[in-house]
């Protein structure tokens, strides 16, 4: 009876099934011999596991039945397999350099992925709707003094006129120019939702995808309301879609009953119209002087845009001439033009009637920054790979002796670069996913990686291939160019041109890093200037809220309630939030005004507490007084200094202002100029009118340190007038910060980019220093024996690198000064570029780069010479 142990039968049967007969006997003999030895040493259970593993190891393409002939005629397979083995052996032998290369590429790829996600989100803004490449917004160029202003608003009747008379237009529609918060009441629920009024054919021009209802009929009924999926969920719960909401009725703003006529899919974050409902415009009019609507047209596929634009202009001109014949100089550039809907977000900046870009400049800047950081990481790989070339010279020589051609060696080193790159891509994906939540909170977006999309994986594969080929191209051609005789004689050394290139790459890395650091400090300096700039009014501790309908009707009673709160220092009613004027007009006229003067003024309706609430100085005359305004005096005015200058009034007090022929009143005072917009724009001429009945905002100045109690009192007061409406309030300081959201995002992303750029550059410098110190260890030991001091040796190893960093500083400072000044020129008010930002940036780069080199230099200098010279 056979008592010898047997391996698992199924494993042996599997081996017999797949293994070619050319190899089966030899393979079985080897693994059986190993199995019996393992039984004696390790025991039967562990020997069985080892046997199974040995069988599986032999299950490869070269041993499978029927594949030997293919391999025999394709020797490249074995060659490329050897390349992969050599690559992993090289990685294992040079762990420090492999780690530095992978870490550098990972950080570079992570930075590029995060910035790339932001750039992609920006570039795909407003592209979620089909056929919107045929949609254009109608814009108006209007004169203002000596310049031309571009308005996104147009008269309401323009859409209907061009739709009916221009055959190249498929559809034309309009919408109210401002999104509005409205109170929605449904049963016992009361919600504040953001919505917008629009024309009945709005969804035929901008085809929002519907989940319930017919888009073409949804707004035909003037009482119809179209709501979003999120709105439906808030009203009816998460299972709302199990029933039809069509026909459900709500109360809009406590007076208007509306009926659900459609439900549309939620609008994505990177879209212009971020609203939760649409309703039909209450009424249409034929008023061509009221610029309160946005007009959109959808042209036919083959329409000539220039011809369509000219036809719209002619119709607009005819209507304006009917109302004000001869009052407009049409040769000055006044008129109508078309701007693509999809370009409005990125190319929405106009100067003197011409498009001059917009957010696209930030997208380009940060996109280039992301690519540059990736390039810095690739430069790192090039530098570190070429630095190790002397260590791999013998391997290259042997391969050349046995017949390897240059193309084979290029393939080998390119494969190594691609392997490292795809390892880095995997790590970068993991790191990006981990960083995304925090990154989104910093930039205020909802970015994500679409792993379910084939496009995403195609882009990642392409991204990895390009990065690997870019990083490995120079090392591959450089290493493969070594001469066999020089290698075998041991005389192969770096040529002067190769050393110069390596030094040039280091200079490039640190020049770009310093450029990013200086520009980042400049952006933050401008943001700090925004926060500290005296706006001409006091915005601290100011809370504002929109008045409810009942509060609008009972302002005197509301004022009495507000006056009783000990925590409210002052309050005023206004028609604007102070930092975003919502009414601008050329209506004001005065004695001696040139009929051709179409200067646009900011118009603000308020009361006699306005200047006191915001501490605005009156430089001439007096504040509003209720005694002045009588039945015969319909209005009184304050103007700012710029308005007085434009009106040409040296003594404006008592002069009359006519408001478009409707009424007139005297100027009672001149206030000091204050900012009514962001600091991107200059201060504008302003007319402040004492008409609190037109004001719909309550601005409250809280007592110092009593903001919380002021809010409680405001909430209590609102409940007395409108008990069913939840109070919504805003802080003026925070709203002011939002004016510079783009700059804050750029500041955040540039800080992130600058930090990664300097880290990646220092990783490369550390790697080069590590290699240099290792190759010069024998030299340093001899110098120490001959009496060189620690300081001398450290200086010897660091001075070359520090000279390169100083050269980088000399190149980066003038470049950063130029680019920063170009960026600052977009602001009407800008900070002064102070020398300290260049000094701090330079010292930071010098310090970090010195630390990168000094640690290795010091470690080498402290080494005992006997350890390296004992065999001499």
């Amino acid at each position: 009876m056979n008592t010898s142990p047997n391996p698992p039968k199924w494993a042996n049967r599997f081996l017999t099934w797949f293994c070619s007969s050319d190899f089966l006997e030899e393979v079985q003999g080897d693994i059986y011999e190993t199995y019996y030895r393992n039984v004696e040493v390790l025991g039967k259970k562990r020997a069985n596991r080892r046997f199974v593993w040995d069988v599986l190891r032999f299950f490869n393409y070269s041993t499978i039945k029927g594949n030997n002939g293919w391999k025999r005629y394709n020797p490249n397979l074995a060659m490329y397999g050897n390349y992969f083995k050599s690559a992993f052996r090289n990685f294992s032998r040079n762990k420090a350099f492999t780690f530095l290369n992978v870490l550098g590429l990972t950080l570079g790829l992570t930075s590029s992925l995060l910035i790339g996600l932001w750039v992609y989100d920006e570039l795909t803004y407003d592209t979620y709707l089909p056929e919107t490449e045929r949609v254009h917004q109608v814009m108006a160029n209007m004169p203002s003094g000596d310049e031309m202003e571009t308005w996104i608003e147009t008269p309401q009747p323009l859409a209907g006129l061009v739709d009916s008379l221009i055959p190249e237009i498929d559809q034309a529609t309009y919408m109210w120019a401002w999104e509005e918060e409205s109170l929605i009441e449904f049963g016992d629920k009361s919600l504040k939702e953001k919505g917008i009024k629009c024309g009945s054919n709005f969804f035929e021009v901008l085809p929002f995808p519907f989940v319930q209802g017919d888009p073409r009929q949804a707004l035909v009924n003037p009482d119809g309301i179209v709501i979003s999926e999120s709105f439906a969920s808030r009203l009816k719960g998460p299972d709302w879609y199990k029933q039809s909401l069509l026909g459900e009725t709500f109360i809009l703003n406590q007076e208007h009953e509306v009926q659900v006529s459609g439900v549309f899919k939620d609008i994505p974050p990177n879209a212009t119209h971020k609203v939760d409902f649409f309703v039909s415009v209450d009424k249409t009019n034929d008023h061509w002087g009221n610029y309160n609507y946005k007009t959109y047209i959808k042209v036919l596929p083959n329409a000539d845009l220039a011809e369509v634009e000219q036809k719209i202009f002619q119709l607009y001109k005819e209507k304006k001439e009917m109302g004000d014949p001869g009052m407009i100089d049409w040769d000055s550039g006044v008129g109508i033009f078309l701007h693509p809907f999809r370009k409005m977000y990125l190319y929405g900046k106009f100067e003197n009637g011409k498009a001059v870009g917009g957010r696209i400049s930030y997208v380009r800047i940060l996109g280039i920054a992301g690519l540059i950081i990736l390039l810095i990481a690739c430069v790192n790989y090039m530098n570190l790979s070429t630095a190790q070339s002397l260590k791999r010279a013998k391997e290259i020589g042997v391969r050349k002796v046995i017949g390897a051609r240059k193309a084979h060696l290029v393939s080998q080193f390119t494969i190594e670069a691609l392997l490292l790159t795809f390892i880095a891509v995997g790590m970068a994906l993991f790191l990006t996913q981990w960083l995304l939540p925090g990154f989104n909170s910093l930039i205020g977006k909802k970015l994500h990686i679409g792993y379910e999309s084939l496009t995403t994986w195609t882009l990642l594969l392409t991204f990895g291939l390009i990065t690997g080929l870019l990083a490995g191209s120079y090392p591959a051609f450089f290493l493969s160019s070594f001469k066999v005789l020089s290698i075998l004689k041991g005389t192969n050394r770096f040529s002067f041109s190769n050393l110069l290139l390596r030094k040039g790459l280091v200079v490039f890395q640190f020049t770009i890093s310093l450029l990013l650091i200086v520009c980042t400090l400049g952006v933050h300096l401008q943001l700090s200037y925004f926060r500290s700039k005296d706006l001409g009014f006091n915005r601290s501790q100011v809370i504002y809220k929109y008045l409810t309908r009942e509060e609008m009707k009972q302002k005197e009673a509301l004022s009495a309630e507000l006056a009783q709160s000990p925590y409210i220092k002052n309050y005023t009613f206004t028609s604007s939030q102070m930092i975003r004027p919502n009414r601008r007009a050329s209506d004001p006229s005065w004695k001696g005004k040139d009929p051709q003067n179409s200067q646009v003024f900011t118009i603000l309706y308020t009361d006699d507490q306005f200047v006191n609430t915001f501490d605005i100085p009156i430089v001439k005359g007096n504040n509003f007084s209720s005694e002045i305004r009588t039945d015969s005096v319909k209005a009184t005015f304050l103007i700012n200094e710029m308005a007085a200058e434009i009106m040409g009034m040296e003594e404006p007090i008592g002069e009359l202002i006519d408001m478009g022929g409707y009424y007139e009143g005297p100027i009672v005072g001149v206030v000091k100029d204050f900012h009514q917009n962001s600091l991107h724009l200059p201060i504008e001429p302003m007319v402040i009118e004492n008409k609190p009945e037109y004001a719909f905002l309550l601005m409250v100045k809280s007592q110092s340190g009593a903001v919380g109690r002021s809010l409680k009192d405001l909430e209590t007061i609102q409940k007395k007038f409108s008990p069913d409406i939840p109070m919504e309030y805003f802080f003026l300081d925070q709203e002011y910060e939002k004016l510079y959201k783009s700059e804050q995002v750029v500041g955040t992303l540039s800080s992130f980019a600058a930090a990664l750029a300097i880290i990646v550059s220092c990783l490369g410098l550390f790697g080069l220093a590590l290699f240099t110190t290792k190759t010069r260890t024998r030299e340093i030991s001899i110098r120490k024996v001959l009496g060189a001091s620690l300081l001398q040796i450290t200086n010897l190893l660091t001075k070359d690198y520090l000279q390169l960093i100083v050269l980088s500083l000399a190149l980066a400072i003038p470049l950063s000064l130029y680019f920063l000044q170009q960026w600052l020129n977009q602001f009407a008010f800008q900070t002064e570029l102070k020398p300290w930002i260049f000094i701090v940036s330079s010292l930071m780069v010098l310090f970090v780069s010195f630390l990168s080199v000094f640690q290795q230099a010091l470690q080498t200098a402290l080494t005992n010479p006997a350890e390296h010279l004992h065999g001499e």
Side-chain angles (χ1 to χ4, degrees):
M1 189 171 93
N2 185 12
T3 58
S4 61
N6 292 314
K9 292 181 180 179
W10 68 267
N12 187 49
R13 284 197 296 270
F14 178 64
L15 176 66
T16 305
W17 173 75
F18 77 77
C19 191
S20 170
S21 58
D22 293 342
F23 306 113
L24 180 60
E25 184 177 351
E26 183 180 353
V27 168
Q28 276 185 322
D30 288 344
I31 62 175
Y32 265 82
E33 182 180 344
T34 303
Y35 172 75
Y36 292 129
R37 186 168 58 249
N38 286 338
V39 169
E40 295 176 2
V41 176
L42 303 174
K44 191 172 187 306
K45 286 186 178 180
R46 293 182 66 183
N48 284 350
R49 289 197 295 268
R50 291 285 182 92
F51 183 85
V52 171
W53 171 243
D54 287 338
V55 169
L56 294 176
R57 276 197 312 118
F58 280 102
F59 183 64
N60 57 63
Y61 200 84
S62 62
T63 60
I64 295 176
K65 292 176 180 177
N67 289 329
N68 297 330
W70 188 92
K71 185 179 178 183
R72 191 160 46 246
Y73 295 104
N74 290 273
N76 286 338
L77 182 66
M79 181 181 69
Y80 284 111
N82 181 260
Y83 289 166
F84 279 96
K85 289 179 183 178
S86 297
F88 285 110
R89 286 171 185 164
N90 180 57
F91 299 160
S92 178
R93 282 197 301 265
N94 300 285
K95 293 182 177 65
F97 285 96
T98 302
F99 173 76
L100 290 174
N101 271 327
V102 171
L103 182 59
L105 287 171
T106 299
L107 292 177
L109 287 163
T110 300
S111 172
S112 298
L113 279 172
L114 288 171
I115 293 176
L117 286 171
W118 181 83
V119 168
Y120 177 78
D121 185 78
E122 292 285 297
L123 291 177
T124 55
Y125 221 90
D126 285 332
T127 59
Y128 68 103
L129 296 177
E131 296 187 343
T132 47
E133 69 278 358
R134 293 198 281 133
V135 177
H136 299 265
Q137 184 169 351
V138 183
M139 314 280 284
N141 277 335
M142 305 295 290
S144 179
D146 297 330
E147 295 188 350
M148 194 67 61
E149 290 190 356
T150 299
W151 292 6
I152 61 172
E153 301 90 2
T154 53
Q156 185 191 24
L158 179 63
L161 184 69
V162 301
D163 196 7
S164 60
L165 296 180
I166 301 178
E168 294 91 341
I169 293 179
D170 185 10
Q171 292 279 344
T173 192
Y174 56 88
M175 63 185 295
W176 185 246
W178 298 278
E179 298 167 357
E180 297 176 332
E181 289 276 353
S182 297
L183 178 69
I184 304 289
E185 294 175 283
F186 175 71
D188 58 350
K189 289 185 177 180
S190 295
L191 299 173
K192 275 287 189 76
E193 300 290 342
K194 186 182 288 186
I196 202 160
K197 301 173 184 175
C198 54
S200 59
N201 64 338
F202 180 78
F203 295 113
E204 294 188 55
V205 177
L206 294 174
F208 284 69
F210 271 48
V211 293
Q212 290 185 10
D214 181 358
R216 292 170 298 179
Q217 302 296 321
L219 294 176
V220 171
N221 182 350
D223 295 324
I225 181 172
V226 180
I227 65 176
S228 69
E229 290 177 302
S230 295
F231 185 5
S233 181
R234 286 190 289 273
L235 279 172
K236 304 287 284 185
D239 296 331
W240 66 269
Y241 56 88
K242 294 180 179 178
Q243 57 183 309
S244 173
L245 296 188
L246 303 182
E248 293 277 3
T249 57
F250 308 143
I251 304 298
L252 181 65
N253 291 327
Q254 296 186 304
E255 61 176 11
H256 186 196
E257 185 175 89
V258 291
Q259 194 173 70
V260 176
S261 54
V263 181
F264 61 89
K265 287 187 177 180
D266 284 339
I267 299 171
N270 60 339
T272 298
H273 304 301
K274 300 184 185 73
V275 295
D276 281 304
F277 72 85
F278 293 91
V279 292
S280 293
V281 172
D282 297 337
K283 57 184 178 180
T284 57
N285 61 61
D286 197 35
H287 186 358
W288 284 83
N290 188 352
Y291 289 74
N292 287 326
Y293 293 86
K294 294 179 183 178
T295 301
Y296 295 104
I297 66 165
K298 187 175 186 178
V299 298
L300 294 173
N302 298 319
D304 185 334
L305 284 178
E307 187 177 340
V308 173
E309 189 175 78
Q310 184 60 28
K311 288 181 178 180
I312 296 174
F313 172 70
Q314 288 300 327
L315 291 172
Y316 172 79
K317 180 179 176 181
E318 290 171 11
K319 287 294 182 179
K320 295 296 287 186
E321 281 293 316
M322 289 173 61
D324 298 305
M327 293 298 292
I328 299 175
D329 180 10
W330 296 101
D331 295 328
S332 64
V334 178
I336 290 290
F337 68 95
L338 300 178
H339 195 65
F341 171 75
R342 288 187 175 183
K343 288 190 174 183
M344 198 64 214
Y345 176 75
L346 291 176
Y347 299 87
K349 185 179 180 182
F350 298 85
E351 289 181 3
N352 206 23
K354 304 290 183 182
V356 293
R359 284 182 66 91
I360 189 63
S361 60
Y362 289 143
V363 173
R364 287 169 180 158
I365 289 169
L366 290 168
I368 291 171
L371 291 175
I372 284 174
I373 293 172
L374 185 58
L375 184 58
I376 288 173
C378 292
V379 166
N380 257 3
Y381 183 90
M382 294 177 191
N383 255 341
L384 293 175
S385 297
T386 53
Q388 294 182 83
S389 59
L390 294 179
K391 295 179 67 175
R392 303 195 66 182
K394 287 184 180 179
E395 175 195 345
I396 296 165
V398 171
R399 285 185 180 275
K400 284 197 168 188
V401 166
I402 61 176
R405 295 192 300 272
K406 185 172 182 177
H408 296 146
L409 294 171
V410 168
S411 298
Q412 176 188 347
F413 296 122
T414 302
I415 285 172
E416 287 187 13
L418 288 171
L419 279 173
L420 278 181
T421 300
F422 278 103
I423 291 171
V425 167
M427 294 177 67
L429 271 176
F430 173 79
L431 192 57
T432 300
Q433 193 63 51
W434 181 67
L435 290 172
L436 259 181
F439 186 71
N440 280 332
S441 65
L442 280 174
I443 63 173
K445 283 185 177 283
K446 296 179 180 178
L447 306 179
H448 70 285
I449 302 174
Y451 293 109
E452 71 286 351
S453 169
L454 180 62
T455 304
T456 300
W457 292 106
T458 304
L459 286 173
L460 284 171
L461 179 63
T462 306
F463 194 46
L465 282 172
I466 292 172
T467 303
L469 292 173
L470 181 63
S473 58
Y474 177 71
F477 285 98
F478 171 73
L479 294 172
S480 61
S481 65
F482 285 179
K483 304 297 182 185
V484 176
L485 288 178
S486 299
I487 295 170
L488 297 180
K489 287 180 179 179
T491 59
N492 195 73
R493 295 288 184 271
F494 286 124
S495 67
F496 175 77
S497 60
N498 287 326
L499 289 172
L500 189 62
L501 178 61
R502 275 181 49 202
K503 290 180 178 181
L505 292 175
V506 171
V507 171
F508 168 78
Q509 283 181 302
F510 280 91
T511 299
I512 297 300
S513 299
L514 184 65
L515 182 66
L516 287 172
I517 291 170
V518 173
C519 290
T520 298
L521 288 177
V523 170
H524 286 288
L525 195 64
Q526 180 69 3
L527 287 171
S528 177
Y529 175 76
F530 291 154
R531 296 185 183 100
S532 60
K533 177 77 169 68
D534 181 10
L535 301 180
F537 66 91
N538 189 345
R539 66 180 187 273
S540 66
Q541 311 231 30
V542 174
I543 309 159
Y544 72 90
K545 64 180 282 295
Y546 289 88
L547 296 172
T548 66
R549 191 168 301 277
E550 291 302 316
E551 288 172 334
M552 284 285 289
K553 293 177 182 177
Q554 304 178 61
K555 281 183 181 172
E556 289 187 8
L558 177 60
S559 295
E561 292 285 346
L562 292 167
Q564 292 178 15
S565 172
Y567 307 112
I568 295 176
K569 184 178 180 180
N570 218 326
Y571 63 90
T572 184
F573 299 106
T574 70
S575 60
S576 164
Q577 309 101 312
M578 291 294 291
I579 52 175
R580 291 189 185 93
N582 52 21
R583 184 162 192 268
R584 301 171 71 247
S586 57
D587 292 344
S589 60
W590 57 92
K591 183 179 179 181
K593 179 185 178 182
D594 183 353
Q596 295 295 323
N597 185 341
S598 53
Q599 176 66 51
V600 175
F601 292 80
T602 297
I603 310 296
L604 177 70
Y605 301 115
T606 186
D607 55 27
D608 57 1
Q609 291 302 309
F610 174 73
V611 295
N612 297 328
T613 301
F614 292 103
D615 301 325
I616 300 173
I618 296 177
V619 295
K620 285 184 181 179
N622 300 293
N623 191 11
F624 293 130
S625 171
S626 57
E627 297 176 0
I628 299 176
R629 189 176 171 188
T630 62
D631 290 340
S632 59
V633 180
K634 300 295 184 184
T636 55
F637 301 96
L638 294 173
I639 60 174
N640 67 352
E641 294 171 301
M642 183 166 286
E645 181 182 342
I646 287 172
M647 292 175 177
M649 298 179 181
E650 293 183 8
E651 294 297 332
I653 308 305
E655 294 287 344
L656 296 179
I657 290 180
D658 183 282
M659 295 300 287
Y662 294 103
Y663 55 86
E664 66 177 12
I667 298 171
V668 297
V670 179
V671 299
K672 190 173 180 63
D673 284 340
F674 62 90
H675 293 271
Q676 315 110 29
N677 277 298
S678 75
L679 298 182
H680 292 85
L681 304 172
I683 294 175
E684 296 183 337
M686 187 174 199
V687 173
I688 304 169
E689 190 171 345
N690 185 16
K691 275 189 176 291
E693 60 269 27
Y694 289 179
F696 53 86
L697 285 165
L698 169 63
M699 317 287 288
V700 170
K701 179 82 168 181
S702 175
Q703 294 284 3
S704 179
V707 173
R709 294 184 177 185
S710 298
L711 284 172
K712 287 183 179 179
D713 282 0
L714 277 175
E715 190 170 4
T716 301
I717 292 169
Q718 178 173 310
K719 284 182 178 178
K720 291 182 180 180
F721 293 89
S722 306
D724 298 326
I725 300 178
M727 189 179 85
E728 189 173 16
Y729 60 89
F730 307 89
F731 292 103
L732 190 58
D733 262 340
Q734 293 177 359
E735 294 302 303
Y736 176 73
E737 290 278 338
K738 290 179 183 178
L739 295 176
Y740 310 105
K741 185 177 179 181
S742 295
E743 286 73 30
Q744 289 168 357
V745 169
V746 168
T748 299
L749 291 178
S750 59
S751 299
F752 175 75
L756 282 180
I758 193 66
I759 290 171
V760 173
S761 297
C762 287
L763 280 175
L765 194 62
F766 177 80
L768 287 175
L770 177 63
F771 178 79
T772 302
T773 53
K774 283 186 176 182
T775 56
R776 298 182 71 177
T777 302
R778 184 167 171 271
E779 174 196 346
I780 299 304
S781 299
I782 294 172
R783 286 180 181 274
K784 288 189 72 174
V785 169
L786 295 176
S789 66
L790 181 65
L791 181 61
Q792 288 173 324
I793 293 173
T794 306
N795 180 58
L796 176 70
L797 293 171
T798 58
K799 68 177 183 180
D800 288 344
Y801 291 111
L802 292 182
Q803 285 172 358
L804 296 178
I805 305 306
V806 170
L807 178 59
S808 301
L809 301 181
L811 292 172
I813 288 174
L815 284 173
S816 58
L817 179 61
Y818 171 77
F819 287 122
L820 258 182
Q821 194 58 61
Q822 292 297 309
W823 178 73
L824 287 172
N825 286 342
Q826 69 178 303
F827 302 100
F829 299 88
Q830 55 188 251
T831 188
E832 180 185 352
L833 290 178
K834 298 176 182 178
W836 69 261
I837 68 170
F838 302 100
I839 296 170
V840 168
S841 302
S842 302
L843 291 176
M844 185 188 306
V845 171
L846 279 171
F847 178 72
V848 174
S849 56
F850 177 74
L851 284 182
S852 302
V853 178
F854 180 73
Q855 186 268 340
Q856 284 299 318
L858 184 62
Q859 184 178 345
T860 304
L862 291 172
T863 303
N864 185 353
E867 294 180 14
H868 303 287
L869 300 176
H870 63 275
E872 298 292 331

